[in-house]
Amino acid sequence: MPDYGHELLFGSILTPVADRPGEVVAAARIADAAGLDLVAVPDHPYQPGFLDAWATLSVIAAVTQRIRVLPDVANLPLRPPATLARTAAGLDLLSGGRVELGLGAGAYWDSITAEGGPHRSPGEAVAATREAIEILRALWAGGGRVHFEGKHHHLAGAAAGPAPAHPISVWLGAVGPRMLRLTGAAADGWLPSVPHVPPPRLARGQPVIDEAAERAGRKPEQVRRLYNLSPGPGGFPQGAPRDWPEQLAQLTVEVGTSAYLLPSGRPELIRTFAEEVAPATRELVTAARARGDEPRTSRTTTAAAEYAPRRRRPGTGSGAARPDTA
């Protein structure tokens, strides 16, 4: 598998627990000061134990200086694409261009329908996501009015804008082959999670995205490959933080992943990830690229083959969607 040559990014996924609102803000400040590139929060609008994702991201953007913020991933069935486009663009303008958009087609459908949202089949969820991406880009382009007649989303002359401060990336929380093909054809990145897409499956998904990108007239390297990590027994990376740089570097060189998000609000682990794991990983990748290392079977991938995707309860984990299992 190729190394797509992207600059490495490192981030933290923070859970905005409603009865401890100060914790997520404090952790975001630490991530910003420590030098991480991204801070993300899950988007489970049906979960009263969590603060609203966009409200949380707005506060985080206001109290930080340089770190980029994103939902990981935005719940499309409960976030109409026109509203989502304006929300993301508005926060991007307010933050000086520090917003990216993780986007999910939907999961936990019983919870979604309880909130008044639709219940979509895997195929419907993929189609709705494709339509949403078109709407997002049309509204972000600004100027004039947008008409869109889709099966799931409709715009009847909606005013475009505001245009964001920078080109907001759309990173899809994709699992199944149809969502992977959509990622290659239309998205800016693939944002899966270890429990649903462990490293062996991650490697198998990359050529699906590459082929779809080429069929759409794009280059595979136009699609960034990101990863929501899940350290610990049965997860990835394995071992102590000092063991992580080699595993992450191997995944970058062999599979092409170039952004890693750690689900943790623990200050000491955030600092270790930013100040020790990130620079050590960058150094290993830089050296491997300078040598022109060829992909090889690594102990990282071999070890990861021993575990399989695990289901998570609603409102837990990174929030990446599981929209397409077919």
Side-chain angles (χ1 to χ4, degrees):
M1 299 296 174
D3 172 7
Y4 300 95
H6 294 139
E7 175 190 4
L8 293 186
L9 302 176
F10 295 84
S12 180
I13 306 168
L14 306 177
T15 302
V17 179
D19 61 1
R20 300 192 301 276
E23 289 185 2
V24 67
V25 176
R29 287 180 182 270
I30 291 168
D32 186 45
L36 287 180
D37 306 291
L38 304 166
V39 64
V41 300
D43 183 27
H44 297 290
Y46 42 74
Q47 173 55 271
F50 287 176
L51 301 168
D52 177 77
W54 285 103
T56 303
L57 292 171
S58 297
V59 173
I60 288 174
V63 301
T64 55
Q65 299 297 317
R66 42 161 299 281
I67 202 164
R68 285 185 267 171
V69 302
L70 68 146
D72 191 355
V73 289
N75 190 304
L76 179 59
L78 294 176
R79 306 280 188 186
T83 302
L84 188 59
R86 301 188 204 284
T87 300
L91 184 55
D92 197 55
L93 289 164
L94 288 166
S95 66
R98 292 193 287 128
V99 173
E100 309 297 352
L101 180 60
L103 184 63
Y108 312 121
W109 292 105
D110 289 345
S111 296
I112 289 170
T113 56
E115 295 281 313
H119 190 295
R120 293 174 177 146
S121 69
E124 290 171 337
V126 175
T129 305
R130 184 184 300 274
E131 294 177 6
I133 294 173
E134 291 186 44
I135 291 172
L136 289 167
R137 299 206 191 283
L139 292 177
W140 285 339
R145 293 188 174 273
V146 178
H147 295 265
F148 185 88
E149 188 64 29
K151 183 176 180 180
H152 304 280
H153 303 296
H154 312 273
L155 294 182
H166 88 297
I168 296 175
S169 297
V170 178
W171 296 332
L172 292 188
V175 176
R178 286 174 288 189
M179 280 293 288
L180 292 178
R181 289 192 290 271
L182 176 58
T183 301
D188 302 300
W190 182 27
L191 180 55
S193 300
V194 167
H196 309 312
V197 185
R201 191 172 179 183
L202 188 77
R204 293 193 295 270
Q206 304 290 29
V208 178
I209 294 173
D210 293 350
E211 291 167 10
E214 290 170 347
R215 285 196 300 271
R218 310 173 73 201
K219 295 180 179 180
E221 56 266 31
Q222 288 180 252
V223 184
R224 180 182 277 279
R225 320 305 164 105
L226 308 96
Y227 213 12
N228 293 320
L229 302 175
S230 184
F236 178 86
Q238 299 174 358
R242 64 177 177 274
D243 303 315
W244 297 354
E246 182 181 355
Q247 297 174 62
L248 300 182
Q250 287 178 2
L251 204 64
T252 297
V253 174
E254 297 173 10
V255 180
T257 304
S258 60
Y260 299 99
L261 291 96
L262 179 70
S264 177
R266 291 166 48 199
E268 67 279 8
L269 188 54
I270 290 173
R271 292 191 184 96
T272 297
F273 195 57
E275 298 170 1
E276 299 178 22
V277 175
T281 304
R282 288 188 172 106
E283 183 177 348
L284 290 171
V285 170
T286 298
R289 287 171 171 172
R291 293 192 304 268
D293 284 4
E294 294 293 329
R296 60 186 174 84
T297 301
S298 69
R299 63 175 179 164
T300 297
T301 305
T302 302
E306 298 175 1
Y307 65 93
R310 292 176 283 131
R311 293 184 178 271
R312 288 187 182 271
R313 299 186 305 276
T316 65
S318 68
R322 293 179 286 112
D324 180 21
T325 57

